Structure formats: structure tokens, C-alpha cells
Amino acid sequence: MNKILLIDDDVATNFYNNYMLKKNIVGCEIIMLDNGLKALDYIKKHTLPDAIFVDVNMPVMDGITLIRELRGLPNYKFTPLLMLTTESGMDKKVEGKAAGATGWIVKPFNPDQLLAVLKKVIR
């Protein structure tokens, strides 16, 4: 069973992505969190997820900071960390890549795009 974390402060976005992933990937477990600090706390206490989708702009801890923190943990060096955000500027993309983001998907997105990226990064 694949375990996927959705980290976004927008509840509607999390629920939509949760619905779409569960509908298209049989047997996946989805964990939804609304900021980077909660996600970091959750991640330190639970088993390694297969992929993590992170929004850039969130309260408490933003997505790029979260990715930087995760890449500093030994078990998260190769975990797919995908930015799912409205930010499309090259400066943010460069900052995300430097922090360790695996990929960048700009909202609004086509659900097939999200599924295709996920299928490329999980086993």
C-alpha cells in the first residue's frame, strides 16, 4: 500500500487531491496536513511515506523550508518531495530545487498530470 502525504493549508485542495488519488490509485493511504511544522512532527513519528506533495505558501512553516528540513533527515534523502503550488516564478522553482524538491506542479493542474508524476516517482 502506498502512503502519500498531502501538505497544504487549503482544506479544499487537500480534500480534492485526496479524493482524486484514492479514486485512481487503489489501496493508497493519504495523510492530509495543513502546515510544514505539523508535517515535520508527523514525519518524525511515523513510517516513511512513498511520496509527499507540499504547497509552498503555508503558515507556521512554508513548503521550501519543510523540504530543506526533510532532506536533512537520513531517511528522506531519496523520498519524492513534490511541490504542488500556485507559485510559477523561476526564482521560487530554483529555490525549491536547491532545497531538494523532486518536482514542481503548478495549480491549477490537470489531475492526469498529478497522477502521471506520482506514477513516475513511486514504486
Side-chain angles (χ1 to χ4, degrees):
M1 175 188 298
N2 291 41
K3 183 175 183 178
I4 302 165
L5 270 58
L6 299 175
I7 306 163
D8 195 318
D9 61 319
D10 181 46
V11 174
T13 298
N14 265 346
F15 277 99
Y16 174 76
N17 291 335
N18 177 43
Y19 167 78
M20 195 242 338
L21 290 170
K22 283 188 174 181
K23 179 180 171 192
N24 290 284
I25 301 175
V26 176
C28 72
E29 177 186 2
I30 308 289
I31 307 298
M32 297 183 293
L33 301 160
D34 63 3
N35 72 61
L37 192 58
K38 283 183 187 176
L40 190 58
D41 185 52
Y42 176 88
I43 286 164
K44 288 180 178 180
K45 296 176 183 175
H46 294 85
T47 59
L48 189 68
D50 296 291
I52 301 173
F53 288 96
V54 182
D55 187 22
V56 170
N57 298 311
M58 295 183 291
V60 186
M61 180 187 287
D62 67 90
I64 292 174
T65 301
L66 173 61
I67 285 178
R68 197 174 292 118
E69 292 286 327
L70 290 175
R71 289 296 186 220
L73 299 174
N75 290 338
Y76 287 85
K77 292 201 182 294
F78 303 107
T79 302
L81 304 176
L82 302 151
M83 301 304 302
L84 187 58
T85 181
T86 57
E87 294 285 344
S88 61
M90 189 53 70
D91 58 331
K92 281 289 184 187
K93 289 180 182 180
V94 168
E95 186 181 1
K97 183 140 180 90
T102 307
W104 196 278
I105 301 171
V106 177
K107 297 184 226 174
F109 58 88
N110 178 325
D112 291 334
Q113 178 187 12
L114 182 67
L115 292 169
V117 168
L118 185 59
K119 287 177 182 177
K120 284 182 183 179
V121 298
I122 61 174
R123 297 161 192 65

